[in-house]
Structures are given as C-alpha cells and as structure tokens.
Amino acid sequence: NNLSNLEGLYINWNALTSLPETIGDLQNLTELFANSNSLNSIPSSISNLGSLQTLLISYNNLKYLPENICDLSENCFINLSGNMLCEEYNYDCISNDEWGDQYPSNCP
C-alpha cells in the first residue's frame, strides 16, 4: 500500500497463484513482469493501471481474462503466450503476437 511511486514490478519465477486486487492501486506502474508463475487469474483492478506500458504474464495457468483488460492503454504491450486461455478470451485489444500459443484444456 505504500508503493505508490513504484514503476516496475518484476515477479517472474515465484510460483505465485494470484495477484492481489490492490495491484490496481499502483498508479505509476509502467512495467509488470509476472512470467512463469502459476497465476490462475488476473484481478479486474488491472484495468486501473493507466500508466502500464508492458504486461508480461506468459507461462502461467491463466484460463480466463477479465474483460476490462481492454481498458489498459492501447499502447500497452501484453504477452499472454503459454497459458491455458480459450479463444473466447482473445479480445480485439490483444493482437495475435501478444496472444501467442495457448494450451487450453476445457474450452467449449
């Protein structure tokens, strides 16, 4: 809660299963690297990160994304490859390059 000036958060390779909803309070965050964890979801508060330029959440266990992920800046690069996302979560705001290879197990 006292990290209001934090600009970069690099939490790769930590076996994290979730991010706190309060991550959306980090208004100055420009880079969030959370690759190669065990994240099951991304909190909807992610859309509050108006300064975010890079969101790397590849190689996790993501099965869905909050729809408001598209509220991030259109200049925000998002890397989602190597997750378990079904095609229905490939929103228009996410390019094919950012989508990458997915390994879904229970898609309709």
Side-chain angles (χ1 to χ4, degrees):
N1 291 334
N2 289 331
L3 301 175
S4 60
N5 293 321
L6 188 68
E7 294 180 5
L9 182 58
Y10 310 99
I11 51 176
N12 299 321
W13 299 95
N14 281 294
L16 300 173
T17 58
S18 65
L19 296 174
E21 191 70 32
T22 55
I23 197 143
D25 296 339
L26 303 175
Q27 293 299 305
N28 292 317
L29 198 65
T30 60
E31 295 182 328
L32 174 55
F33 292 19
N35 295 317
S36 301
N37 280 289
S38 296
L39 297 175
N40 295 310
S41 64
I42 299 298
S44 62
S45 67
I46 199 86
S47 67
N48 297 339
L49 300 176
S51 299
L52 200 63
Q53 297 172 2
T54 306
L55 175 60
L56 303 182
I57 48 177
S58 60
Y59 301 99
N60 279 285
N61 295 326
L62 297 176
K63 294 180 181 173
Y64 66 91
L65 295 172
E67 190 171 328
N68 67 356
I69 197 166
C70 290
D71 292 343
L72 291 171
S73 166
E74 65 182 45
N75 297 324
C76 182
F77 175 76
I78 304 169
N79 187 320
L80 296 167
S81 60
N83 281 289
M84 301 166 67
L85 296 164
C86 296
E87 187 67 29
E88 67 189 271
Y89 294 106
N90 190 358
Y91 302 126
D92 289 341
C93 65
I94 300 170
S95 73
N96 287 338
D97 291 339
E98 294 171 320
W99 181 254
D101 292 330
Q102 298 296 316
Y103 307 101
S105 59
N106 292 321
C107 292

